[in-house]
C-alpha cells in the first residue's frame, strides 16, 4: 500500500492550498480516507475524513478548527483524495498526512493502518 501526499508549501495567512493524496495497492473505492496534521511538539490531530463514496456522495467530517475553511473530496476513478484549504491561518502550520482505512471514517488516527509520508504546510502571518 502506498499513499503519496503532495501540494504543501509556504503561503501567507488568508491564502489557499490544495493537498492531494494518490493511493495505490488497495481497493480505494471501499476505503475511508482521512487527513491529519502534526505541528512541532504537538500530537497528531484529526483534520477531515470522507467515506468511500465518490464525489458529493461521500459523507465528510471535519475538525471544528477547520470547519468552513477546509474541504475534503475524492475521485475513486483516480484513486485520489484532496484537501482544499482556504483562509489559512498561522495555526494551520503543520505536516499534513493522508491516511486510509477500510470501513467507516474515523477521527482517531489510531484507526488508520496506512499512511502517506506527509507534506509540510507553512502559513506565515
Amino acid at each position: 500500500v502506498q499513499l503519496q501526499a503532495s501540494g504543501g508549501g509556504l503561503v501567507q495567512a488568508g491564502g489557499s492550498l490544495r493537498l492531494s493524496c494518490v493511493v495505490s495497492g488497495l481497493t480505494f473505492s471501499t476505503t475511508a480516507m482521512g487527513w491529519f496534521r502534526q505541528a512541532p511538539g504537538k500530537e497528531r490531530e484529526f483534520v477531515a475524513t470522507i467515506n468511500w463514496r465518490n464525489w458529493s456522495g461521500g459523507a465528510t467530517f471535519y475538525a471544528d478548527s477547520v470547519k468552513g475553511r477546509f474541504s475534503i473530496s475524492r475521485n475513486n476513478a483516480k484513486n485520489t483524495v484532496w484537501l482544499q484549504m482556504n483562509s489559512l491561518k498561522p495555526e494551520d502550520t503543520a505536516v499534513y498526512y493522508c491516511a486510509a482505512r477500510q470501513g467507516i471514517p474515523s477521527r482517531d488516527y489510531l484507526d488508520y493502518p496506512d499512511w502517506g509520508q506527509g507534506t509540510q504546510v507553512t502559513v506565515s502571518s
Side-chain angles (χ1 to χ4, degrees), residues 70-84:
F70 291 11
S71 177
I72 186 172
S73 61
R74 68 188 292 160
N75 183 335
N76 289 347
K78 295 184 177 182
N79 281 19
T80 302
V81 62
W82 296 277
L83 183 69
Q84 178 66 45

Side-chain angles (χ1 to χ4, degrees), residues 10 17 22 25 27-28 30 40 48 55-56 63 67 77 81 86 98 123 125:
L10 173 64
L17 284 173
V22 180
T27 306
F28 186 72
T30 61
W55 295 115
S56 61
K67 200 172 294 183
V81 62
N86 299 327
C98 58
V123 184
S125 57

Side-chain angles (χ1 to χ4, degrees), residues 18-92:
R18 190 191 196 200
L19 306 184
S20 300
C21 179
V22 180
V23 181
S24 61
L26 51 74
T27 306
F28 186 72
S29 60
T30 61
T31 301
M33 296 297 300
W35 285 97
F36 295 80
R37 66 187 182 186
Q38 189 165 18
K42 295 187 176 181
E43 290 190 357
R44 190 164 299 190
E45 66 172 354
F46 167 73
V47 175
T49 186
I50 185 169
N51 78 352
W52 59 270
R53 288 186 182 274
N54 210 10
W55 295 115
S56 61
T60 57
F61 306 90
Y62 298 93
D64 288 343
S65 59
V66 307
K67 200 172 294 183
R69 301 188 297 122
F70 291 11
S71 177
I72 186 172
S73 61
R74 68 188 292 160
N75 183 335
N76 289 347
K78 295 184 177 182
N79 281 19
T80 302
V81 62
W82 296 277
L83 183 69
Q84 178 66 45
M85 305 186 295
N86 299 327
S87 301
L88 282 161
K89 303 176 180 180
E91 52 263 43
D92 294 319

